[in-house]
Amino acid sequence: MGQISLPQKGMSREEVLNTLKSFKSNDVKWHEGQLFGLIYETGTDVEDLVKEASALFLIENGLNPMAFPSLVKMETEVVSMVKALSGGDDEAVGNLTSGGTESIFMALKAARDWARHTFPKIKEPEMVVPLSAHPAWNKAAHYLGIKIVMTPIKDDFRADVTAMQDAINENTIILGATAVTYPHGMVDPVEEISALAQKHNLWLHVDACLGGLMLPFLKRLGHDIPAYDFSVPGVMSLSADIHKYAYTPKGVSAVMYRNADLRKFQIFAYADWAGGVYATPCLAGGRPGGNIAAAWGVFHYLGEEGFIALAKKTAEATAILIEGINSIPQLYVLGSPDATVFAFGSDEINIYELSTRMADSGWHMEAQQLPPSLHMTVSPVHLAVADKFLDDLRRIIPEVPPADSQELSEQAAMYAMLGTMPDRSMAREFAVEYINNLYRTT
Ligand SMILES: *Cc1c(COP(=O)(O)O)cnc(C)c1O
């Protein structure tokens, strides 16, 4: 096939839309809760609401706030609601970004520039972050020229604060913590990490991308949630994804700061451009208005009661799944997860092979490594299918080869190989090649 060029003549509108729809046929099915990640599905009319709200502002551009004051109004109101849920007071400020990666990037960029300003002697800045942190931290460190020092986590899959303390040196400027870690679903001991940050004058960023719009509602439902937000004094910035547990389409997250003096270090301005004085709060130039409207729409549509009701369904589904999986002799859940995300593994059967066979039955989970496990992001829609999922697990497990089996399907063998390569730079190179080959038409 090779090169695909622009068709000489256009298609009819109907043909375009039908062709686009046909592209979905090979995609994973998710509307009935078959997918445990990537999409946060309520199983209610929230999906229609966010589509309509975002369509209303789909074409508008958030780049110029003077042209579209509507977008500034919606953005500041959404941020205000998220910061109020995150223990922020009147002083706290923030912005909407394109997602968790950009939110973390902006917070770490602000922290780096704050450190340049506050501690000009530090030329080679470092940050200390637990191993369970999301790769967005590593990516930001890579782009921003900050050395990232990863510290071990404890047996309970939470940050080891003593190891973090030991990793601090005269170049350290940032400490990291996560409130609901992606791989295991834990809240790090933010109060202890905050005390460490305050003692050493470090910037503490809390990545609440996953937990930021679930933990506040679990707390209201009486769950025991350790303090992780601006109520902890050393927390300088916090990220919370709206496109996760606030159920909007992808492309919207909040990054927030304890006060506007800290947020100043996030903002970029260039005064000498022929096109005019140019300033943006975050990484993007042009910004889609639709996502901002979707966020505003979902917050007002659900209200606190709606969010609590969805959190309740999600927590119930999580409890059923965790209990069910732990009652299967060959399986165990990793640690005691704090919210609605968890992982499970096995010492007896090959977990990647289990994943492949569950996929044949229509269930999709992300495969994890170190140790091999399967990842479960639970959504409200899963309450209706949790029992069916567990039935299928119990039915399929007897067919799954043992953990050390050499006879694995292609996909399971690839995961096993990548997870056990002793030279991690080889696994890295493999991933670069994979991506480089994927995005081409041949
Ligand atoms: C999802 C996630 C991120 C990254 O967010 P994106 O929206 O995928 O860019 C960062 N941290 C945690 C804990 C996450 O779950």
Side-chain angles (χ1 to χ4, degrees):
M1 197 161 55
Q3 186 84 325
I4 290 181
S5 41
L6 186 64
Q8 188 134 39
K9 279 194 188 347
M11 293 174 171
S12 71
R13 173 194 147 86
E14 200 170 33
E15 216 181 330
V16 169
L17 296 177
N18 285 336
T19 309
L20 283 172
K21 281 180 200 156
S22 76
F23 290 164
K24 293 195 181 207
S25 63
N26 290 329
D27 288 351
V28 66
K29 303 288 174 285
W30 54 272
H31 263 108
E32 275 87 50
Q34 302 97 319
L35 182 62
F36 290 91
L38 301 170
I39 289 174
Y40 296 68
E41 174 64 346
T42 63
T44 69
D45 50 1
V46 169
E47 192 187 321
D48 294 331
L49 181 275
V50 294
K51 279 185 186 166
E52 284 178 43
S54 98
L56 281 176
F57 286 86
L58 195 60
I59 315 290
E60 276 81 352
N61 185 350
L63 175 59
N64 183 341
M66 286 180 271
F68 301 111
S70 59
L71 297 179
V72 180
K73 174 183 163 65
M74 288 188 282
E75 173 166 350
T76 48
E77 289 184 7
V78 168
V79 167
S80 189
M81 287 183 268
V82 182
K83 84 179 190 195
L85 290 167
S86 311
D89 59 18
D90 282 354
E91 300 273 288
V93 292
N95 285 96
L96 296 182
T97 68
S98 62
T101 301
E102 189 184 348
S103 288
I104 292 170
F105 183 91
M106 294 323 303
L108 298 182
K109 184 259 184 230
R112 184 198 66 179
D113 291 357
W114 163 84
R116 277 183 184 164
H117 174 82
T118 317
F119 311 109
K121 286 214 183 85
I122 299 181
K123 299 294 179 208
E124 294 180 10
E126 298 186 12
M127 60 181 169
V128 176
V129 180
L131 267 173
S132 49
H134 190 279
W137 291 79
N138 306 73
K139 196 181 197 174
H142 175 72
Y143 285 160
L144 291 165
I146 306 171
K147 179 178 171 191
I148 184 165
V149 180
M150 311 292 291
T151 51
I153 51 174
K154 292 170 75 159
D155 290 346
D156 67 359
F157 300 94
R158 294 181 181 89
D160 181 340
V161 183
T162 310
M164 291 180 78
Q165 172 153 31
D166 293 346
I168 295 173
N169 64 33
E170 68 280 1
N171 286 327
T172 309
I173 59 166
I174 299 165
L175 295 184
T178 306
V180 187
T181 58
Y182 178 86
H184 315 114
M186 305 300 174
V187 177
D188 279 333
V190 174
E191 286 185 305
E192 287 173 61
I193 299 170
S194 159
L196 200 56
Q198 289 195 303
K199 186 172 152 208
H200 294 272
N201 271 319
L202 306 172
W203 180 297
L204 171 56
H205 176 71
V206 173
D207 173 4
C209 282
L210 196 46
L213 286 157
M214 177 52 78
L215 294 171
F217 305 113
L218 293 179
K219 210 149 115 186
R220 284 162 179 69
L221 287 164
H223 290 232
D224 187 17
I225 306 293
Y228 69 91
D229 59 12
F230 286 119
S231 64
V232 184
V235 176
M236 295 294 139
S237 55
L238 186 136
S239 47
D241 287 354
I242 294 169
H243 66 200
K244 286 178 180 158
Y245 283 116
Y247 317 106
T248 64
K250 292 302 167 255
V252 58
S253 166
V255 58
M256 293 159 290
Y257 298 85
R258 180 166 287 281
N259 59 55
D261 288 339
L262 299 175
R263 199 251 306 260
K264 261 192 191 165
F265 294 103
Q266 175 194 279
I267 297 165
F268 176 82
Y270 181 62
D272 302 322
W273 184 39
V277 174
Y278 183 97
T280 56
C282 299
L283 188 61
R287 287 202 292 158
N291 284 323
I292 299 172
W296 196 95
V298 83
F299 277 72
H300 288 84
Y301 186 66
L302 286 175
E304 183 169 342
E305 285 177 10
F307 271 103
I308 291 175
L310 290 174
K312 186 159 184 275
K313 276 175 95 170
T314 314
E316 275 171 31
T318 309
I320 293 169
L321 290 165
I322 288 182
E323 203 182 295
I325 287 169
N326 275 332
S327 74
I328 298 174
Q330 294 90 340
L331 301 180
Y332 54 84
V333 169
L334 274 59
S336 305
D338 287 310
T340 53
V341 175
F342 68 93
F344 65 96
S346 175
D347 296 331
E348 292 171 46
I349 59 165
N350 188 286
I351 204 80
Y352 299 135
E353 200 62 52
L354 174 63
S355 163
T356 314
R357 289 170 198 229
M358 285 295 278
D360 293 341
S361 290
W363 302 103
H364 293 273
M365 294 163 272
E366 302 279 326
Q368 304 198 126
Q369 58 177 357
L370 317 166
S373 54
L374 300 181
H375 188 263
M376 302 283 281
T377 302
V378 186
S379 289
V381 72
H382 291 128
L383 184 58
V385 298
D387 289 326
K388 172 86 174 67
F389 173 86
L390 292 169
D391 285 346
D392 281 353
L393 262 188
R394 290 188 202 97
R395 177 173 60 76
I396 285 167
I397 278 176
E399 306 163 8
V400 179
D404 58 358
S405 170
Q406 298 301 310
E407 278 160 49
L408 301 178
S409 64
E410 199 181 327
Q411 197 181 9
M414 187 193 71
Y415 283 126
M417 188 259 307
L418 282 174
T420 51
M421 269 183 186
D423 181 355
R424 302 312 294 160
S425 69
M426 276 172 67
R428 216 194 124 261
E429 266 169 47
F430 178 92
V432 171
E433 280 301 308
Y434 175 82
I435 294 291
N436 206 10
N437 284 320
L438 185 64
Y439 291 97
R440 50 202 297 173
T441 46
T442 42

